[in-house]
Coordinates of all heavy atoms in Angstrom, one line a residue:
M32 N 9.3 0.1 15.9 CA 8.7 -0.6 17.2 C 7.4 -0.2 17.4 O 6.8 0.8 16.8 CB 9.6 0.1 18.3 CG 9.4 -0.6 19.6 SD 10.3 0.0 21.0 CE 9.5 1.4 21.5
V33 N 6.6 -1.1 18.0 CA 5.2 -0.9 18.2 C 5.0 -1.2 19.8 O 5.7 -2.0 20.3 CB 4.3 -1.7 17.4 CG1 4.4 -3.2 17.7 CG2 2.8 -1.2 17.5
T34 N 4.0 -0.5 20.4 CA 3.7 -0.8 21.9 C 2.2 -1.2 21.8 O 1.4 -0.7 21.1 CB 4.0 0.4 22.7 OG1 3.2 1.5 22.2 CG2 5.4 0.7 22.8
L35 N 2.0 -2.1 22.7 CA 0.7 -2.7 23.0 C 0.4 -2.6 24.5 O 1.4 -2.7 25.2 CB 0.5 -4.1 22.4 CG 0.9 -4.4 21.0 CD1 1.0 -5.9 20.8 CD2 0.0 -3.9 20.1
T36 N -0.9 -2.8 24.9 CA -1.0 -3.1 26.4 C -1.1 -4.6 26.6 O -1.8 -5.3 25.8 CB -2.3 -2.3 26.8 OG1 -3.4 -2.8 26.1 CG2 -2.2 -0.8 26.8
F37 N -0.5 -5.0 27.6 CA -0.6 -6.4 27.9 C -2.0 -6.8 28.3 O -2.4 -8.0 27.7 CB 0.3 -6.5 29.3 CG 0.4 -8.1 29.6 CD1 1.2 -9.0 29.0 CD2 -0.4 -8.5 30.7 CE1 1.3 -10.3 29.4 CE2 -0.3 -9.8 31.1 CZ 0.5 -10.8 30.5
D38 N -2.8 -6.1 28.8 CA -4.2 -6.4 29.1 C -5.1 -6.7 27.8 O -6.0 -7.3 27.8 CB -4.9 -5.3 29.9 CG -4.4 -5.2 31.3 OD1 -3.7 -6.2 31.7 OD2 -4.7 -4.2 32.0
S39 N -4.6 -6.1 26.7 CA -5.4 -6.3 25.4 C -5.1 -7.6 24.8 O -5.8 -8.0 23.9 CB -5.0 -5.1 24.5 OG -3.6 -5.3 23.9
L40 N -4.0 -8.4 25.3 CA -3.7 -9.6 24.7 C -4.4 -10.8 25.4 O -4.4 -10.8 26.6 CB -2.2 -9.8 24.7 CG -1.4 -8.8 24.0 CD1 0.1 -8.9 24.4 CD2 -1.6 -8.8 22.5
V41 N -5.1 -11.5 24.6 CA -5.9 -12.6 25.3 C -5.2 -14.0 25.0 O -4.9 -14.2 23.6 CB -7.3 -12.7 24.6 CG1 -8.1 -13.9 25.2 CG2 -8.0 -11.3 24.9
E42 N -4.9 -14.8 25.9 CA -4.1 -16.0 25.7 C -5.0 -17.0 24.8 O -6.2 -17.0 24.9 CB -4.0 -16.7 27.0 CG -3.2 -18.0 26.8 CD -2.2 -18.3 27.9 OE1 -2.2 -17.5 28.9 OE2 -1.4 -19.2 27.8
G43 N -4.4 -17.5 23.8 CA -5.0 -18.4 22.8 C -5.4 -17.6 21.5 O -5.8 -18.4 20.5
K44 N -5.6 -16.3 21.5 CA -6.0 -15.5 20.5 C -4.9 -14.7 20.0 O -4.5 -13.5 20.5 CB -7.2 -14.7 20.8 CG -8.3 -15.4 21.2 CD -9.6 -14.5 21.2 CE -10.9 -15.2 21.7 NZ -11.3 -16.2 20.8
P45 N -4.2 -15.1 18.9 CA -3.1 -14.3 18.3 C -3.6 -12.9 17.9 O -4.8 -12.8 17.5 CB -2.6 -15.1 17.1 CG -3.4 -16.2 17.1 CD -4.5 -16.3 18.0
F46 N -2.7 -11.9 17.9 CA -3.0 -10.6 17.6 C -2.1 -10.1 16.4 O -0.8 -10.3 16.6 CB -2.9 -9.7 18.9 CG -3.1 -8.2 18.5 CD1 -4.3 -7.8 18.6 CD2 -2.1 -7.4 18.4 CE1 -4.7 -6.4 18.4 CE2 -2.3 -6.0 18.3 CZ -3.6 -5.5 18.2
Q47 N -2.6 -9.5 15.5 CA -1.7 -9.0 14.4 C -1.3 -7.6 14.7 O -2.1 -6.7 14.9 CB -2.4 -9.1 13.0 CG -1.3 -8.8 11.9 CD -2.0 -8.6 10.6 OE1 -2.7 -7.6 10.2 NE2 -1.8 -9.6 9.8
A48 N 0.1 -7.3 14.6 CA 0.5 -6.0 14.8 C 1.4 -5.7 13.6 O 1.7 -6.6 12.8 CB 1.3 -5.9 16.2
E49 N 1.9 -4.4 13.5 CA 2.8 -4.1 12.4 C 4.0 -3.4 13.0 O 4.0 -2.5 13.8 CB 2.1 -3.0 11.5 CG 2.8 -3.0 10.1 CD 2.0 -2.2 9.1 OE1 0.8 -2.6 8.8 OE2 2.6 -1.3 8.5
V50 N 5.2 -3.9 12.6 CA 6.4 -3.4 13.1 C 7.3 -3.1 12.0 O 7.7 -4.1 11.1 CB 7.2 -4.5 14.0 CG1 8.5 -3.9 14.4 CG2 6.3 -4.9 15.2
D51 N 7.7 -1.9 11.8 CA 8.5 -1.4 10.7 C 8.0 -1.8 9.3 O 8.6 -2.3 8.5 CB 9.9 -1.8 10.9 CG 10.5 -1.4 12.1 OD1 10.1 -0.4 12.7 OD2 11.5 -2.0 12.6
G52 N 6.6 -1.9 9.3 CA 6.0 -2.1 8.0 C 5.7 -3.7 7.8 O 5.1 -4.1 6.8
A53 N 6.2 -4.5 8.7 CA 6.0 -6.0 8.6 C 5.0 -6.3 9.4 O 4.7 -5.9 10.6 CB 7.3 -6.7 9.0
K54 N 4.2 -7.4 9.0 CA 3.1 -8.0 9.8 C 3.7 -8.9 10.9 O 4.5 -9.8 10.5 CB 2.0 -8.7 8.9 CG 1.2 -7.8 8.2 CD 0.2 -8.7 7.2 CE -0.6 -7.8 6.3 NZ -1.2 -8.5 5.2
V55 N 3.2 -8.8 12.0 CA 3.8 -9.6 13.1 C 2.6 -10.2 14.0 O 1.6 -9.6 14.2 CB 4.6 -8.7 14.1 CG1 5.1 -9.4 15.3 CG2 5.8 -8.1 13.3
C56 N 2.9 -11.4 14.3 CA 1.8 -12.2 15.0 C 2.3 -12.2 16.6 O 3.3 -12.6 16.9 CB 1.8 -13.6 14.5 SG 0.8 -14.8 15.6
V57 N 1.5 -11.6 17.4 CA 1.7 -11.5 18.8 C 0.9 -12.4 19.6 O -0.3 -12.6 19.4 CB 1.4 -10.1 19.3 CG1 1.9 -9.9 20.8 CG2 2.1 -9.0 18.4
A58 N 1.5 -13.2 20.5 CA 0.8 -14.2 21.3 C 1.3 -14.1 22.8 O 2.4 -14.0 23.1 CB 1.1 -15.6 20.8
R59 N 0.2 -14.1 23.6 CA 0.5 -14.1 25.1 C 0.4 -15.5 25.6 O -0.6 -16.1 25.3 CB -0.5 -13.2 25.7 CG -0.6 -13.3 27.3 CD -1.6 -12.4 27.8 NE -1.8 -12.6 29.3 CZ -2.5 -11.9 30.0 NH1 -3.3 -11.0 29.5 NH2 -2.7 -12.2 31.3
V60 N 1.4 -15.9 26.4 CA 1.4 -17.2 27.1 C 1.6 -17.0 28.5 O 2.8 -16.7 28.9 CB 2.4 -18.2 26.5 CG1 2.4 -19.6 27.1 CG2 2.2 -18.3 24.9
G61 N 0.6 -17.0 29.3 CA 0.8 -16.8 30.7 C 1.2 -15.3 30.8 O 0.5 -14.3 30.4
D62 N 2.3 -15.1 31.6 CA 2.8 -13.7 31.8 C 3.9 -13.3 30.6 O 4.4 -12.2 30.7 CB 3.5 -13.6 33.1 CG 2.5 -13.5 34.2 OD1 1.4 -13.3 34.0 OD2 2.9 -13.9 35.4
E63 N 4.0 -14.2 29.7 CA 5.0 -13.9 28.7 C 4.3 -13.6 27.4 O 3.1 -13.9 27.1 CB 5.9 -15.2 28.3 CG 6.7 -15.6 29.5 CD 7.4 -16.9 29.2 OE1 6.7 -18.0 29.1 OE2 8.7 -17.0 28.9
V64 N 5.0 -12.8 26.5 CA 4.5 -12.3 25.2 C 5.6 -12.7 24.2 O 6.7 -12.5 24.4 CB 4.1 -10.9 25.2 CG1 3.7 -10.4 23.8 CG2 3.2 -10.5 26.2
F65 N 5.1 -13.3 23.0 CA 6.1 -13.6 22.0 C 5.5 -13.0 20.8 O 4.3 -12.7 20.5 CB 6.1 -15.2 21.8 CG 6.6 -15.8 23.0 CD1 5.7 -16.3 24.0 CD2 7.9 -16.0 23.3 CE1 6.1 -16.9 25.1 CE2 8.4 -16.6 24.5 CZ 7.5 -17.1 25.4
A66 N 6.5 -12.7 19.8 CA 6.1 -12.1 18.5 C 7.0 -12.7 17.4 O 8.2 -12.8 17.5 CB 6.4 -10.6 18.5
I67 N 6.3 -13.2 16.4 CA 6.9 -13.8 15.3 C 6.4 -13.2 14.0 O 5.3 -12.6 14.0 CB 6.7 -15.4 15.2 CG1 5.2 -15.8 15.2 CG2 7.4 -16.0 16.4 CD1 5.0 -17.3 15.0
S68 N 7.1 -13.4 12.9 CA 6.4 -12.9 11.6 C 5.1 -13.5 11.4 O 4.9 -14.8 11.7 CB 7.4 -13.4 10.5 OG 6.8 -13.2 9.3
D69 N 4.2 -12.8 10.8 CA 2.9 -13.2 10.7 C 2.7 -14.0 9.4 O 1.6 -14.7 9.3 CB 1.9 -12.1 10.7 CG 0.5 -12.5 11.0 OD1 0.3 -13.6 11.6 OD2 -0.4 -11.8 10.5
I70 N 3.7 -14.0 8.6 CA 3.5 -14.8 7.3 C 4.2 -16.2 7.5 O 5.4 -16.3 7.7 CB 4.2 -14.0 6.2 CG1 3.9 -12.6 6.2 CG2 4.0 -14.7 4.8 CD1 2.4 -12.4 6.0
C71 N 3.4 -17.2 7.2 CA 3.8 -18.5 7.4 C 5.1 -18.8 6.4 O 5.0 -18.2 5.2 CB 2.7 -19.4 7.0 SG 3.0 -21.3 7.2
S72 N 6.0 -19.5 6.8 CA 7.1 -19.9 5.9 C 6.8 -20.8 4.8 O 7.6 -21.0 3.8 CB 8.3 -20.3 6.6 OG 8.0 -21.6 7.2
H73 N 5.6 -21.4 4.8 CA 5.1 -22.4 3.8 C 4.5 -21.7 2.6 O 4.9 -22.0 1.4 CB 4.3 -23.4 4.4 CG 3.7 -24.5 3.4 ND1 2.4 -24.6 3.1 CD2 4.4 -25.3 2.6 CE1 2.2 -25.5 2.3 NE2 3.4 -25.9 1.8
A74 N 3.6 -20.8 2.8 CA 2.9 -20.2 1.8 C 2.4 -18.8 2.3 O 2.8 -18.4 3.5 CB 1.8 -21.0 1.2
D75 N 1.5 -18.2 1.7 CA 1.1 -16.9 2.1 C -0.1 -17.0 3.0 O -1.4 -16.7 2.5 CB 0.8 -16.1 0.9 CG 0.6 -14.5 1.2 OD1 1.1 -14.2 2.4 OD2 0.1 -13.7 0.4
A76 N 0.1 -17.2 4.2 CA -1.1 -17.2 5.2 C -0.7 -16.5 6.5 O 0.5 -16.5 6.8 CB -1.5 -18.6 5.5
N77 N -1.6 -15.8 7.1 CA -1.3 -15.1 8.3 C -1.5 -16.0 9.5 O -2.6 -16.5 9.8 CB -2.3 -13.9 8.5 CG -2.0 -12.8 7.4 OD1 -0.9 -12.6 7.0 ND2 -3.0 -12.0 7.1
L78 N -0.4 -16.2 10.2 CA -0.4 -17.1 11.4 C -1.4 -16.4 12.5 O -2.0 -17.2 13.3 CB 1.0 -17.2 12.0 CG 1.9 -17.9 11.1 CD1 3.3 -18.0 11.7 CD2 1.5 -19.4 10.8
S79 N -1.5 -15.2 12.5 CA -2.4 -14.6 13.5 C -4.0 -14.9 13.4 O -4.7 -14.6 14.2 CB -2.3 -13.0 13.5 OG -2.7 -12.5 12.3
E80 N -4.2 -15.5 12.2 CA -5.6 -15.9 11.8 C -5.8 -17.4 12.5 O -6.9 -17.9 12.3 CB -5.9 -15.8 10.5 CG -6.0 -14.4 9.9 CD -6.2 -14.2 8.5 OE1 -6.5 -15.2 7.8 OE2 -5.9 -13.1 8.0
G81 N -4.7 -18.0 12.9 CA -4.8 -19.3 13.4 C -5.0 -19.4 15.0 O -5.4 -18.4 15.5
E82 N -4.6 -20.5 15.5 CA -4.8 -20.6 17.0 C -3.6 -21.2 17.6 O -2.7 -21.8 16.8 CB -6.0 -21.7 17.3 CG -7.3 -21.2 16.9 CD -8.3 -22.3 17.2 OE1 -7.9 -23.5 17.4 OE2 -9.5 -21.9 17.2
Y83 N -3.2 -20.9 18.9 CA -2.2 -21.6 19.4 C -2.5 -22.1 20.8 O -3.5 -21.6 21.5 CB -1.0 -20.5 19.6 CG -1.2 -19.3 20.5 CD1 -0.8 -19.4 21.8 CD2 -1.9 -18.2 20.0 CE1 -1.0 -18.3 22.7 CE2 -2.1 -17.1 20.9 CZ -1.7 -17.1 22.2 OH -1.9 -16.1 23.0
K84 N -1.7 -23.1 21.2 CA -1.8 -23.8 22.6 C -0.5 -23.7 23.1 O 0.5 -24.3 22.5 CB -2.5 -25.1 22.4 CG -3.9 -25.2 22.4 CD -4.4 -26.6 22.7 CE -6.0 -26.5 22.4 NZ -6.3 -27.7 21.9
G85 N -0.3 -23.2 24.3 CA 1.0 -23.2 24.9 C 1.9 -22.3 24.0 O 1.6 -21.3 23.5
Y86 N 3.1 -22.9 23.7 CA 4.1 -22.2 22.9 C 4.0 -22.6 21.4 O 4.9 -22.2 20.6 CB 5.5 -22.6 23.3 CG 5.8 -22.1 24.7 CD1 6.0 -22.9 25.8 CD2 5.8 -20.6 25.1 CE1 6.3 -22.5 27.1 CE2 6.2 -20.3 26.3 CZ 6.3 -21.1 27.3 OH 6.6 -20.7 28.6
V87 N 2.9 -23.3 21.1 CA 2.8 -23.8 19.7 C 1.7 -23.2 18.9 O 0.5 -23.3 19.3 CB 2.6 -25.4 19.7 CG1 2.4 -25.9 18.2 CG2 3.9 -26.0 20.3
I88 N 2.0 -22.6 17.8 CA 1.0 -21.9 17.0 C 0.8 -22.7 15.7 O 1.8 -23.3 15.1 CB 1.2 -20.4 16.8 CG1 0.1 -19.8 16.0 CG2 2.5 -20.3 15.8 CD1 0.0 -18.3 16.0
E89 N -0.5 -23.0 15.3 CA -0.7 -23.7 14.1 C -1.2 -22.9 13.0 O -2.1 -22.0 13.1 CB -1.8 -24.8 14.4 CG -2.2 -25.7 13.2 CD -3.2 -26.7 13.6 OE1 -3.5 -26.9 14.7 OE2 -3.6 -27.4 12.7
C90 N -0.7 -23.1 11.8 CA -1.1 -22.3 10.7 C -2.5 -22.9 10.2 O -2.6 -24.1 10.1 CB 0.0 -22.4 9.5 SG -0.6 -21.6 8.0
W91 N -3.4 -22.0 10.0 CA -4.8 -22.4 9.7 C -4.9 -23.0 8.3 O -5.8 -23.7 8.0 CB -5.9 -21.2 9.9 CG -5.5 -20.1 9.0 CD1 -4.6 -19.0 9.3 CD2 -5.8 -19.9 7.7 NE1 -4.5 -18.2 8.2 CE2 -5.3 -18.7 7.2 CE3 -6.7 -20.5 6.8 CZ2 -5.5 -18.1 5.9 CZ3 -6.9 -20.0 5.5 CH2 -6.3 -18.8 5.0
L92 N -3.9 -22.7 7.4 CA -4.0 -23.1 6.0 C -3.8 -24.5 5.8 O -4.6 -25.2 5.2 CB -3.2 -22.1 5.1 CG -3.5 -22.2 3.6 CD1 -5.0 -22.0 3.4 CD2 -2.8 -21.1 2.9
H93 N -2.6 -25.0 6.2 CA -2.2 -26.4 6.0 C -1.7 -27.1 7.2 O -1.3 -28.2 7.2 CB -1.1 -26.5 4.8 CG -1.4 -25.8 3.6 ND1 -0.6 -24.7 3.2 CD2 -2.3 -26.0 2.8 CE1 -1.1 -24.2 2.1 NE2 -2.2 -25.0 1.7
G94 N -1.8 -26.4 8.3 CA -1.5 -27.1 9.7 C -0.1 -27.2 10.2 O 0.2 -27.8 11.2
A95 N 0.8 -26.4 9.5 CA 2.1 -26.5 10.0 C 2.1 -25.8 11.4 O 1.4 -24.9 11.7 CB 3.1 -25.7 9.1
E96 N 3.0 -26.3 12.3 CA 3.2 -25.7 13.6 C 4.6 -25.1 13.8 O 5.6 -25.5 13.3 CB 2.9 -26.8 14.7 CG 1.5 -27.3 14.6 CD 1.3 -28.5 15.6 OE1 2.3 -29.3 15.8 OE2 0.2 -28.6 16.2
F97 N 4.5 -23.9 14.5 CA 5.7 -23.2 14.9 C 5.8 -22.9 16.4 O 4.8 -22.9 17.0 CB 5.7 -21.9 14.1 CG 5.6 -21.9 12.7 CD1 4.4 -22.0 12.0 CD2 6.9 -21.9 11.9 CE1 4.4 -22.0 10.6 CE2 6.8 -22.0 10.5 CZ 5.6 -22.1 9.8
D98 N 7.1 -23.0 16.8 CA 7.3 -22.6 18.2 C 7.4 -21.0 18.3 O 8.2 -20.4 17.7 CB 8.7 -23.2 18.6 CG 8.9 -23.1 20.1 OD1 8.7 -22.0 20.7 OD2 9.4 -24.1 20.7
L99 N 6.5 -20.6 19.2 CA 6.4 -19.1 19.3 C 7.7 -18.5 19.9 O 8.0 -17.3 19.7 CB 5.4 -18.7 20.2 CG 3.8 -18.9 19.8 CD1 2.9 -18.9 20.8 CD2 3.6 -17.9 18.8
R100 N 8.4 -19.4 20.7 CA 9.7 -18.8 21.4 C 10.8 -18.6 20.4 O 11.7 -17.8 20.4 CB 10.1 -19.8 22.5 CG 9.0 -19.9 23.4 CD 9.3 -21.0 24.5 NE 9.1 -22.3 23.8 CZ 9.1 -23.4 24.3 NH1 9.4 -23.7 25.6 NH2 8.9 -24.6 23.6
T101 N 10.9 -19.5 19.5 CA 12.1 -19.6 18.5 C 11.8 -19.3 17.1 O 12.7 -19.1 16.2 CB 12.7 -20.9 18.6 OG1 11.8 -22.0 18.1 CG2 13.2 -21.3 20.1
G102 N 10.5 -19.5 16.6 CA 10.1 -19.3 15.3 C 10.4 -20.7 14.5 O 10.0 -20.7 13.3
E103 N 10.8 -21.6 15.2 CA 11.1 -22.9 14.5 C 9.9 -23.6 14.0 O 8.8 -23.6 14.7 CB 11.8 -23.8 15.5 CG 12.3 -25.2 15.0 CD 12.7 -26.1 16.1 OE1 12.8 -25.7 17.4 OE2 12.9 -27.2 15.9
A104 N 10.0 -24.1 12.7 CA 8.9 -24.9 12.2 C 9.0 -26.3 12.8 O 10.0 -27.1 12.7 CB 9.2 -25.1 10.7
I105 N 7.9 -26.7 13.4 CA 7.9 -28.0 14.2 C 7.3 -29.1 13.4 O 7.7 -30.3 13.5 CB 7.0 -27.9 15.6 CG1 7.6 -26.8 16.5 CG2 6.9 -29.2 16.2 CD1 6.6 -26.4 17.5
T106 N 6.3 -28.9 12.6 CA 5.7 -29.8 11.7 C 5.5 -29.4 10.3 O 5.5 -28.2 10.0 CB 4.3 -30.2 12.3 OG1 3.4 -29.0 12.2 CG2 4.4 -30.8 13.6
L107 N 5.5 -30.3 9.4 CA 5.4 -30.1 7.9 C 3.9 -29.6 7.8 O 3.1 -29.8 8.6 CB 5.6 -31.4 7.3 CG 7.0 -32.0 7.3 CD1 7.1 -33.3 6.7 CD2 8.0 -31.0 6.6
P108 N 3.6 -28.9 6.7 CA 4.5 -28.8 5.5 C 5.6 -27.7 5.7 O 6.3 -27.5 4.7 CB 3.5 -28.5 4.3 CG 2.4 -27.8 5.1 CD 2.3 -28.4 6.4
A109 N 5.6 -26.9 6.7 CA 6.6 -25.8 6.7 C 7.9 -26.5 7.2 O 7.9 -27.4 8.1 CB 6.2 -24.7 7.7
V110 N 9.0 -26.0 6.6 CA 10.3 -26.5 7.1 C 11.2 -25.3 7.5 O 12.0 -25.6 8.3 CB 11.1 -27.3 5.9 CG1 10.4 -28.6 5.7 CG2 11.1 -26.6 4.6
A111 N 11.0 -24.2 7.0 CA 11.8 -23.1 7.4 C 11.2 -22.3 8.6 O 9.9 -22.3 8.8 CB 11.9 -22.0 6.2
P112 N 12.0 -21.7 9.4 CA 11.5 -21.0 10.6 C 11.0 -19.6 10.1 O 11.2 -19.2 9.0 CB 12.9 -20.8 11.4 CG 13.9 -20.7 10.5 CD 13.5 -21.7 9.3
V113 N 10.2 -19.1 11.0 CA 9.8 -17.7 10.8 C 10.6 -16.8 11.7 O 11.1 -17.2 12.7 CB 8.2 -17.6 11.0 CG1 7.5 -18.2 10.0 CG2 7.8 -17.9 12.4
K114 N 10.7 -15.5 11.3 CA 11.4 -14.5 12.2 C 10.9 -14.3 13.5 O 9.6 -14.4 13.6 CB 11.5 -13.1 11.5 CG 12.3 -13.1 10.3 CD 12.3 -11.7 9.7 CE 13.0 -11.4 8.5 NZ 12.9 -10.2 7.9
T115 N 11.7 -14.2 14.5 CA 11.1 -13.8 15.8 C 11.4 -12.4 16.0 O 12.4 -11.8 15.5 CB 11.8 -14.6 16.9 OG1 13.2 -14.5 16.9 CG2 11.5 -16.1 16.8
Y116 N 10.6 -11.6 16.9 CA 10.8 -10.3 17.1 C 11.1 -10.1 18.7 O 10.8 -10.9 19.4 CB 9.5 -9.5 16.8 CG 9.4 -9.2 15.3 CD1 9.1 -10.3 14.5 CD2 9.5 -8.0 14.8 CE1 9.0 -10.1 13.0 CE2 9.4 -7.8 13.4 CZ 9.1 -8.9 12.6 OH 9.0 -8.7 11.2
K117 N 11.8 -9.0 19.0 CA 12.2 -8.7 20.3 C 11.0 -8.2 21.1 O 10.4 -7.2 20.7 CB 13.3 -7.7 20.3 CG 14.0 -7.5 21.5 CD 15.3 -6.7 21.4 CE 16.1 -6.5 22.6 NZ 15.5 -5.5 23.6
V118 N 10.7 -8.7 22.2 CA 9.6 -8.3 23.0 C 10.0 -7.9 24.4 O 10.8 -8.6 25.0 CB 8.5 -9.4 23.2 CG1 7.3 -8.9 24.0 CG2 7.9 -9.9 21.8
S119 N 9.6 -6.8 24.8 CA 10.0 -6.4 26.3 C 8.6 -5.8 26.9 O 7.8 -5.3 26.3 CB 11.2 -5.2 26.3 OG 10.7 -4.2 25.5
R120 N 8.6 -6.1 28.2 CA 7.4 -5.7 28.8 C 7.7 -5.0 30.1 O 8.6 -5.2 30.8 CB 6.6 -7.0 29.3 CG 5.2 -6.7 29.9 CD 4.6 -8.0 30.4 NE 3.6 -7.6 31.4 CZ 3.2 -8.4 32.2 NH1 3.5 -9.7 32.2 NH2 2.2 -8.0 33.1
D121 N 7.1 -3.9 30.2 CA 7.2 -3.0 31.4 C 5.8 -2.8 32.0 O 5.0 -2.0 31.6 CB 7.8 -1.7 31.1 CG 8.1 -0.8 32.3 OD1 7.8 -1.3 33.4 OD2 8.5 0.3 32.2
G122 N 5.4 -3.7 33.0 CA 4.1 -3.6 33.5 C 3.1 -3.9 32.4 O 3.1 -4.9 31.8
N123 N 2.2 -3.0 32.2 CA 1.2 -3.3 31.1 C 1.5 -2.8 29.8 O 0.8 -3.0 28.8 CB -0.1 -2.5 31.5 CG -1.4 -3.0 30.9 OD1 -1.4 -4.2 30.5 ND2 -2.3 -2.1 30.5
V124 N 2.8 -2.3 29.6 CA 3.2 -1.9 28.3 C 4.2 -3.0 27.6 O 5.2 -3.3 28.2 CB 3.9 -0.5 28.3 CG1 4.5 -0.1 27.0 CG2 3.0 0.6 28.9
V125 N 3.8 -3.4 26.4 CA 4.5 -4.4 25.8 C 5.1 -3.6 24.5 O 4.4 -3.1 23.8 CB 3.7 -5.6 25.3 CG1 4.5 -6.6 24.5 CG2 3.1 -6.3 26.5
S126 N 6.5 -3.8 24.3 CA 7.1 -3.2 23.1 C 7.7 -4.4 22.2 O 8.2 -5.3 22.8 CB 8.3 -2.3 23.6 OG 7.8 -1.4 24.5
I127 N 7.4 -4.1 21.0 CA 7.9 -5.2 20.0 C 8.8 -4.5 19.0 O 8.3 -3.5 18.4 CB 6.7 -5.9 19.4 CG1 5.9 -6.6 20.4 CG2 7.2 -6.9 18.3 CD1 4.4 -6.9 20.0
S128 N 9.9 -5.0 18.8 CA 10.8 -4.3 17.8 C 11.5 -5.3 16.9 O 11.3 -6.6 17.0 CB 11.9 -3.6 18.6 OG 12.5 -4.3 19.6
A129 N 12.3 -4.8 16.0 CA 12.8 -5.6 14.9 C 13.3 -6.9 15.2 O 13.6 -7.3 16.4 CB 14.0 -4.7 14.4
P130 N 13.3 -7.9 14.2 CA 13.7 -9.2 14.4 C 15.1 -9.4 15.1 O 16.0 -8.6 14.9 CB 13.8 -9.8 13.0 CG 13.0 -8.8 12.2 CD 13.1 -7.4 12.8
K131 N 15.1 -10.5 15.9 CA 16.4 -10.8 16.5 C 17.4 -11.4 15.7 O 18.6 -11.1 15.7 CB 16.1 -12.0 17.7 CG 15.2 -11.5 18.8 CD 15.0 -12.8 19.7 CE 14.0 -12.4 20.8 NZ 13.6 -13.6 21.5
Q132 N 16.8 -12.1 14.6 CA 17.8 -12.6 13.5 C 17.4 -12.1 12.3 O 16.1 -11.8 12.0 CB 17.8 -14.1 13.6 CG 16.5 -14.7 12.9 CD 15.6 -15.4 14.1 OE1 15.9 -15.3 15.2 NE2 14.5 -15.9 13.6
E133 N 18.4 -11.7 11.4 CA 18.2 -11.2 10.1 C 17.8 -12.3 9.0 O 17.1 -12.0 8.2 CB 19.4 -10.5 9.6 CG 19.6 -9.1 10.3 CD 18.3 -8.2 10.3 OE1 17.7 -8.2 9.1 OE2 17.8 -7.7 11.3
S134 N 18.3 -13.5 9.2 CA 18.1 -14.5 8.1 C 16.8 -15.2 8.3 O 16.6 -15.8 9.4 CB 19.3 -15.4 8.2 OG 19.4 -16.1 9.4
E135 N 16.0 -15.1 7.3 CA 14.9 -16.0 7.3 C 15.0 -17.0 6.2 O 15.0 -16.7 5.0 CB 13.6 -15.1 7.1 CG 12.3 -15.9 7.1 CD 11.2 -15.1 7.1 OE1 11.2 -14.0 6.3 OE2 10.1 -15.4 7.6
K136 N 15.2 -18.2 6.6 CA 15.7 -19.2 5.6 C 14.5 -19.8 5.0 O 13.4 -19.9 5.6 CB 16.6 -20.3 6.3 CG 17.9 -19.7 6.7 CD 18.6 -20.7 7.7 CE 19.4 -19.8 8.7 NZ 19.5 -20.5 10.0
Ligands
FES208 S1 0.5 -21.7 4.4 FE1 1.0 -22.3 6.6 S2 1.2 -24.4 6.3 FE2 0.9 -23.9 4.4

């Protein structure tokens, strides 16, 4: 598990964190925070180096889009989802822990 401060998260600018040795892309949308695997399911690119609007993050390498809430691949060339991580927030403290689902297809 890793903890961050909510104030340090800037909407539209993904943040890379490390949870149990895995790279995780953290994104703030309004008062909500989402965390997904930072590795694109299409190839080896860090999603945290791209941009997101609303709940949709775009991989900077080939343009695949993912839903931050579910990890679902929305547009090609990615077809497989990325893992989602459990996020809880207590005031200014955001905690991110192991994936909600084990299978990364
Ligand atoms: S590496 Fe992300 S779309 Fe290709």
Side-chain angles (χ1 to χ4, degrees):
M32 187 173 85
V33 70
T34 56
L35 310 165
T36 56
F37 183 74
D38 287 349
S39 68
L40 299 171
V41 178
E42 182 143 6
K44 292 192 186 302
F46 179 83
Q47 188 188 76
E49 198 171 304
V50 178
D51 299 339
K54 289 179 183 168
V55 175
C56 173
V57 182
R59 170 180 171 175
V60 182
D62 285 340
E63 298 177 286
V64 178
F65 300 93
I67 59 176
S68 170
D69 198 26
I70 309 299
C71 182
S72 65
H73 176 240
D75 191 14
N77 290 334
L78 295 175
S79 62
E80 293 173 13
E82 295 179 341
Y83 67 94
K84 276 195 183 145
Y86 297 114
V87 178
I88 188 163
E89 181 178 352
C90 178
W91 59 271
L92 193 51
H93 307 114
E96 294 177 325
F97 297 88
D98 189 316
L99 288 165
R100 297 166 293 186
T101 62
E103 178 189 358
I105 301 169
T106 59
L107 295 171
V110 290
V113 292
K114 288 181 185 174
T115 55
Y116 284 70
K117 189 168 183 285
V118 178
S119 57
R120 182 181 163 205
D121 183 7
N123 197 33
V124 178
V125 177
S126 303
I127 300 164
S128 53
K131 290 176 184 169
Q132 73 251 2
E133 282 308 312
S134 58
E135 187 174 22
K136 295 164 207 148

